[in-house]
Amino acid sequence: MKGFVFRGPGQSAWQEVPDPAVKEPTDAIVRVDAVTICGTDLHILKGDAPEVRPGTVLGHEAVGEIVEVGGDLRTVRPGDRVLVSCIAACGRCRFCRESAYGQCRGGGGWILGHLIDGTQAEYVRVPYADLSVHALPSAVESKDAVLLADIFPTSYEVGVLNGHVRPGDTVAVVGAGPIGLAAITTARLFAPERIVAVDLAASRLEAARRLGADAVADAREDPEQLIADLTDGLGADVVIEAVGVPESFELCTRMVRPGGHVANVGVHGKPATLHLEDLWIKNVTITTGLVDTHSTPTLLRMAAAGRLPTAQLVTHTFPLDRMEEAYDVFARAADTGALKVVLGEQPHEEIAVPAA
């Protein structure tokens, strides 16, 4: 088969790779029908994740059909249409028992496209498939469902829930890329008084307005003053960091009110300064986190009911074999206007499945 392979910082290719095979009785092999690219994949290509070894197939989000299963699986079988979660869960370790699947110590967590071959290929091996894939309702199209593998649970859990968004709050979302936009849509579920989006790109600020932001601010034009004006100088109740650079994190800590929450979602490749000389007296709560995906079943039900505007985030579609072009479009989002790119929906050559 073919897959998108990380060859080292700044080097990658869509190339021939070995077909995946069941290695453990809890594995499933999934034929990939739709896959997307994450900002984290761009961080890997830049060299920000040194634990990713050259030769690894990237990607941790997919929708597809199960074609083979290990002997210990109980809830999935060949022919099932499933969402492949960005997080695998052994289901037995301390963290899995607390629904903190992202911290799994039994061989799960964020492993796809990180520690093992991922989803940006024609087929993928999914460990612990009973807990790591989700059956898809027919009402949810593949290109919409694939956004529920990562960005929606990440924004909802690490941003909105960790930030304790409540009715009547002022919520500032710094970064109006896919994660920030998903944070805006899921924050609206809690009826905040206002949501303010901050970004450098006019096209993304316009997307933020379409998806429910009440106000937008160019990051170069003093968004702190806008927040101060809207809150009588108090500051935002919740600030969600959805960029992953030191400047945006430090901006968030300046925009939050005393007693407020800063929820960091962005993937950081460099240190950021924590100004405790200013923050120690403000009772500010700062949270970080890797998504656990415990909310995925809830988000799937909401998507099936038409309550999540997933389709509005998909700006570009490609066949799988145009993966390199899709990466280029996604990486140059400021020029291309890309939010989420989805690849797939082309014929596959079937891999051999052993007889039962």
Side-chain angles (χ1 to χ4, degrees):
M1 70 169 188
K2 287 191 173 182
F4 189 72
V5 176
F6 171 68
R7 292 178 166 178
Q11 301 178 58
S12 58
W14 176 254
Q15 66 182 58
E16 295 283 343
V17 294
D19 291 340
V22 169
K23 295 182 179 180
E24 301 291 341
T26 52
D27 289 349
I29 306 299
V30 177
R31 184 195 71 206
V32 174
D33 293 329
V35 67
T36 186
I37 302 170
C38 180
T40 304
D41 298 321
L42 300 182
H43 280 277
I44 293 171
L45 289 178
K46 287 165 54 180
D48 289 344
E51 64 275 15
V52 181
R53 295 172 297 180
T56 300
V57 175
L58 296 186
H60 49 267
E61 308 155 88
V63 168
E65 181 180 315
I66 292 180
V67 297
E68 185 182 356
V69 296
D72 284 356
L73 293 181
R74 297 292 180 266
T75 63
V76 295
R77 60 186 179 182
D80 287 352
R81 178 173 173 260
V82 296
L83 170 70
V84 178
S85 176
C86 65
I87 298 295
C90 79
R92 294 187 293 270
C93 71
R94 169 184 173 176
F95 291 107
C96 284
R97 288 177 180 272
E98 297 173 354
S99 298
Y101 307 124
Q103 304 302 321
C104 175
R105 290 298 182 267
W110 174 37
I111 55 175
L112 289 171
H114 182 212
L115 305 180
I116 66 173
D117 285 339
T119 59
Q120 289 170 5
E122 295 178 294
Y123 293 85
V124 59
R125 178 179 73 91
V126 182
Y128 302 117
D130 272 332
L131 288 174
S132 305
V133 303
H134 301 269
L136 279 178
S138 59
V140 183
E141 294 186 21
S142 295
K143 66 180 178 64
D144 299 329
V146 74
L147 302 192
L148 302 178
D150 184 354
I151 67 163
F152 270 88
T154 293
S155 300
Y156 181 58
E157 295 174 20
V158 185
V160 175
L161 296 184
N162 279 4
H164 292 271
V165 175
R166 297 178 299 181
D169 277 354
T170 292
V171 179
V173 179
V174 178
I179 288 288
L181 295 174
I184 290 168
T185 63
T186 51
R188 291 184 65 203
L189 302 173
F190 291 83
E193 180 182 359
R194 62 176 69 88
I195 299 174
V196 182
V198 179
D199 202 281
L200 293 169
S203 61
R204 292 194 166 189
L205 293 176
E206 179 56 34
R209 283 193 183 277
R210 291 197 306 269
L211 289 165
D214 301 286
V216 299
D218 189 309
R220 294 160 293 202
E221 297 179 359
D222 200 5
E224 296 170 66
Q225 187 59 53
L226 173 62
I227 293 295
D229 292 343
L230 291 172
T231 61
D232 295 325
L234 192 63
D237 300 285
V238 181
V239 187
I240 297 173
E241 199 284 336
V243 181
V245 298
E247 295 81 6
S248 62
F249 175 78
E250 293 167 29
L251 172 63
C252 290
T253 62
R254 296 194 300 270
M255 293 169 67
V256 69
R257 69 164 173 82
H261 289 75
V262 175
N264 183 88
V265 188
V267 177
H268 289 262
K270 297 179 181 178
T273 301
L274 182 63
H275 288 283
L276 285 176
E277 74 278 11
D278 298 322
L279 295 171
W280 73 270
I281 201 170
K282 294 179 65 176
N283 293 14
V284 171
T285 298
I286 299 174
T287 56
T288 65
L290 175 66
V291 64
D292 294 312
T293 67
H294 61 75
S295 67
T296 303
T298 298
L299 295 171
L300 273 171
R301 291 195 302 271
M302 296 182 66
R307 296 292 303 276
L308 292 178
T310 51
Q312 295 184 46
L313 273 70
V314 178
T315 55
H316 296 74
T317 58
F318 300 88
L320 274 176
D321 60 7
R322 290 169 60 188
M323 186 71 70
E324 292 174 338
E325 179 183 352
Y327 258 89
D328 177 65
V329 167
F330 185 64
R332 295 187 301 107
D335 299 322
T336 63
L339 294 176
K340 290 298 284 185
V341 301
V342 174
L343 301 98
E345 300 182 348
Q346 68 175 9
H348 299 264
E349 292 187 10
E350 299 294 336
I351 63 173
V353 179

